[in-house]
Amino acid sequence: MFRNIARLMEKILSEMPPYDPKIIGFTIIGGLPEGAPYPDFAEDEEGESDVEVVEGDDCIYITAVTDVRADGAPYVTFQEDSVTLCTGGDEETVIDLDCEIDILHSFYNVQHGVIDAVCRKKSAPGEVARS
């Protein structure tokens, strides 16, 4: 299975434009053998963060791992210049942004233990927003 995924990724990357591609929120879930303990994806490996923030021209993309065993559903709250992530339970993470965002057009999705938030950047007065 992984060999096929590697070939697919090679094909996709070879057909991309010559500038550096970015991969945001990639998840493979193959299932667990019966009776195996649930893996703790929240553990930091070599100082890696559980939250990834990538800034594009029009949007800021935030990806985070949720705690599927915690009580309460994960959610995202958007503010003008920050985003609050709750990845499950009572713990919240505030991410300060370097620009203002359009709260009404920002959104998030929770799927397979991952939160993906898309924060639309606010257009400057007189500037035409790209879609």
Side-chain angles (χ1 to χ4, degrees):
M1 177 173 87
F2 289 112
R3 195 172 301 125
N4 291 336
I5 291 172
R7 284 188 204 128
L8 178 63
M9 290 303 295
E10 286 175 8
K11 183 176 190 259
I12 290 170
L13 292 174
S14 70
E15 295 174 1
M16 292 187 87
Y19 56 87
D20 292 335
K22 296 206 181 337
I23 298 173
I24 300 171
F26 186 85
T27 303
I28 297 175
I29 299 175
L32 297 173
E34 194 169 322
Y38 188 83
D40 189 2
F41 295 114
E43 288 182 6
D44 287 346
E45 294 179 15
E46 299 177 19
E48 292 180 10
S49 174
D50 293 341
V51 178
E52 179 180 11
V53 180
V54 177
E55 185 168 351
D57 292 336
D58 300 329
C59 298
I60 298 171
Y61 304 94
I62 301 171
T63 303
V65 177
T66 64
D67 184 357
V68 295
R69 295 170 291 171
D71 292 334
Y75 62 88
V76 177
T77 305
F78 299 99
Q79 294 86 30
E80 291 266 333
D81 58 357
S82 66
V83 174
T84 303
L85 294 175
C86 178
T87 57
D90 296 330
E91 189 173 326
E92 292 183 338
T93 303
V94 177
I95 300 169
D96 293 321
L97 304 174
D98 293 334
C99 63
E100 289 189 7
I101 61 171
D102 183 352
I103 296 171
L104 293 176
H105 293 98
S106 297
F107 60 93
Y108 72 95
N109 184 25
V110 180
Q111 195 170 34
H112 303 297
V114 176
I115 293 179
D116 287 312
V118 178
C119 308
R120 287 246 181 228
K121 291 182 180 180
K122 211 175 233 186
S123 300
E127 183 180 314
V128 177
R130 293 185 263 174
S131 55

